[in-house]
């Protein structure tokens, strides 16, 4: 495992302080098994299922499927908090998500943990760091009392693409890191994950000169339980459990917040292609089946 700059001190110090354990959250889709939109009652059932493990979930678009409108009352009823998303890639999606936030966040401020603007938009090359900063600052201006940030791939922070976000004073940066998509054998997957996160955190913290500003967390990580192999990465419930026990439980022990990707399988999702051109099935990343049955042991 490679460490750099500020990060080893922060991470090495964490395990000694029990209360500093990280917080576990889950990425949560906004659609049911058939691809139709979830309603408040569906989110309430999701929250009942997740309640033993977490009190926080993250979504991707506040307006898609009327997520903000439907999820916030469920969060209030079940004592959860939500990271709401803005999809900034087009002016239309940005405006629709901002309008949904303006309509529902003020009534439910206690349920809103944070707002993320963009998901891997630097990784896809949609925005530079400076362009994304403008979008984030637009939302921050509308919600000055809410944590606002973004989520992107670890390497886009480590290679400096996201530097403008750090120097621009963004509140929250989420780091996505999938050893699976790096084609890693399960036996090297957690080491790869820790290394990815350490490189991203290290670069950001050495630039900011701080371990708590911006606030950092792992925004997405996980392991798929069925489908094709990707390089040396093999999908199975056994491997997902191994990654969970070593990678997720391990980084929580380090005091790092982490959002597992994802809570429930999404069988409606179309087949897609990975960066290496291999066909990939993205329907089976859930810790639970779409019927809310756990696929492996989720205890730490
Ligand atoms: C195992 O992970 C480390 C990162 O911790 C990486 O440097 C190394 O290349 C990986 N090994 C293989 C065989 O990919």
């Amino acid at each position: 495992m490679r460490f750099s700059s500020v990060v080893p001190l922060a991470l090495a110090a964490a395990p000694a302080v029990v209360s500093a354990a990280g917080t576990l959250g889950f990425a949560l889709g906004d659609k049911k098994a058939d691809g139709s939109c979830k309603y408040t009652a569906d989110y309430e059932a999701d929250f009942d299922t997740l309640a033993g493990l977490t009190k926080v979930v993250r979504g991707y678009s506040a307006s898609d499927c009327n997520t903000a409108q439907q999820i916030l009352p469920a969060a209030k009823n079940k004592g959860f908090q939500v990271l709401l998303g803005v999809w900034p890639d087009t002016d239309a999606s940005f405006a629709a998500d901002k309008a949904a936030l303006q309509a529902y966040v003020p009534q439910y401020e206690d349920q809103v943990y944070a707002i993320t603007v963009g998901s891997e938009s630097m990784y896809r090359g949609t925005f530079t760091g400076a362009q994304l900063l403008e979008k984030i600052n637009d939302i921050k201006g509308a919600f000055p009392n809410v944590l606002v940030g973004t989520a992107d791939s670890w390497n886009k922070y480590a290679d400096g693409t996201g530097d403008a976000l750090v120097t621009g004073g963004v509140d929250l940066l989420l780091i996505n890191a999938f050893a699976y998509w790096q084609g890693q054998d399960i036996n090297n997957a957690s080491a790869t994950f820790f290394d990815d996160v350490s490189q991203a955190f290290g670069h950001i913290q050495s630039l900011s000169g701080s371990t708590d500003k911006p606030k950092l967390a792992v925004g997405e990580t996980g392991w798929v339980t069925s489908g094709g192999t990707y390089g040396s990465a093999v999908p199975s419930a056994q491997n997902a459990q191994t990654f969970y026990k070593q990678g997720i439980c391990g980084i929580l022990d380090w005091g790092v917040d982490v959002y597992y990707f994802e809570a429930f399988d999404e069988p409606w999702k179309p087949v897609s292609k990975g960066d290496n051109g291999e066909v990939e099935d993205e329907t089976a990343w859930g810790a639970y089946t779409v019927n809310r049955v756990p696929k492996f042991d989720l205890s730490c």
Side-chain angles (χ1 to χ4, degrees):
M1 194 184 313
R2 190 164 12 143
F3 288 107
S4 57
S5 64
V6 183
V7 78
L9 302 174
L11 294 179
V17 186
V18 173
S19 63
T23 299
L24 174 64
F26 284 82
L28 183 61
D30 61 10
K31 295 183 178 62
K32 295 191 263 199
D34 63 2
S36 64
C37 292
K38 287 182 184 173
Y39 287 89
T40 299
D42 303 301
Y43 288 117
E44 287 181 342
D46 288 350
F47 291 154
D48 284 342
T49 303
L50 297 172
L53 291 173
T54 186
K55 293 288 180 194
V56 58
V57 296
R58 64 174 294 232
Y60 294 86
S61 162
S63 66
D64 184 55
C65 280
N66 299 315
T67 293
Q69 180 191 29
Q70 297 298 324
I71 200 171
L72 290 171
K76 183 167 188 176
N77 292 342
K78 299 295 179 179
F80 270 64
Q81 284 196 309
V82 184
L83 278 79
L84 291 166
V86 171
W87 194 255
D89 296 37
T90 70
D91 289 345
S93 62
F94 182 86
D97 284 340
K98 185 177 177 183
L101 294 172
Q102 285 172 320
Y104 299 105
V105 168
Q107 307 166 50
Y108 291 102
E109 269 197 4
D110 290 347
Q111 276 65 56
V112 179
Y113 175 77
I115 299 167
T116 53
V117 181
S119 175
E120 301 192 348
S121 62
M122 295 186 295
Y123 178 73
R124 284 193 308 279
T126 308
F127 297 123
T128 63
Q131 289 167 335
L132 184 55
L133 178 64
E134 276 183 39
K135 306 281 180 188
I136 292 170
N137 283 342
D138 182 325
I139 297 296
K140 183 69 186 177
F143 303 96
N145 301 323
V146 180
L147 283 176
V148 181
T150 192
D152 220 301
S153 183
W154 67 274
N155 54 324
K156 293 290 119 185
Y157 297 108
D159 73 6
T161 305
D163 282 1
L165 306 177
V166 180
T167 55
V170 168
D171 300 329
L172 173 70
L173 295 177
L174 301 182
I175 282 87
N176 299 351
F178 287 95
Y180 181 87
W181 291 120
Q182 292 167 266
Q184 288 290 323
D185 186 283
I186 189 62
N187 293 317
N188 201 39
S190 297
T192 299
F193 170 61
F194 293 138
D195 187 51
D196 295 346
V197 173
S198 296
Q199 286 188 51
F201 278 35
H203 183 90
I204 292 166
Q205 292 175 338
S206 60
L207 189 60
S208 71
S210 165
T211 54
D212 58 1
K213 284 192 171 75
K215 191 172 169 57
L216 300 178
V218 176
E220 288 183 3
T221 192
W223 199 271
V224 63
T225 59
S226 65
T229 59
Y230 195 82
S232 302
V234 179
S236 74
Q238 182 62 50
N239 286 350
Q241 175 169 312
T242 299
F243 184 74
Y244 191 94
K245 297 280 182 186
Q246 296 176 354
I248 301 292
C249 299
I251 211 150
L252 288 170
D253 278 348
W254 276 4
V256 176
D257 297 348
V258 55
Y259 295 85
Y260 190 77
F261 184 89
E262 61 184 326
F264 303 101
D265 284 348
E266 299 197 78
W268 63 271
K269 276 191 172 177
V271 161
S272 61
K273 261 188 193 157
D275 288 347
N276 71 357
E278 286 176 25
V279 171
E280 260 312 321
D281 172 330
E282 291 200 282
T283 63
W285 284 82
Y288 295 80
T289 69
V290 74
N291 296 320
R292 306 190 180 93
V293 178
K295 290 154 77 178
F296 52 89
D297 176 14
L298 294 165
S299 63
C300 279

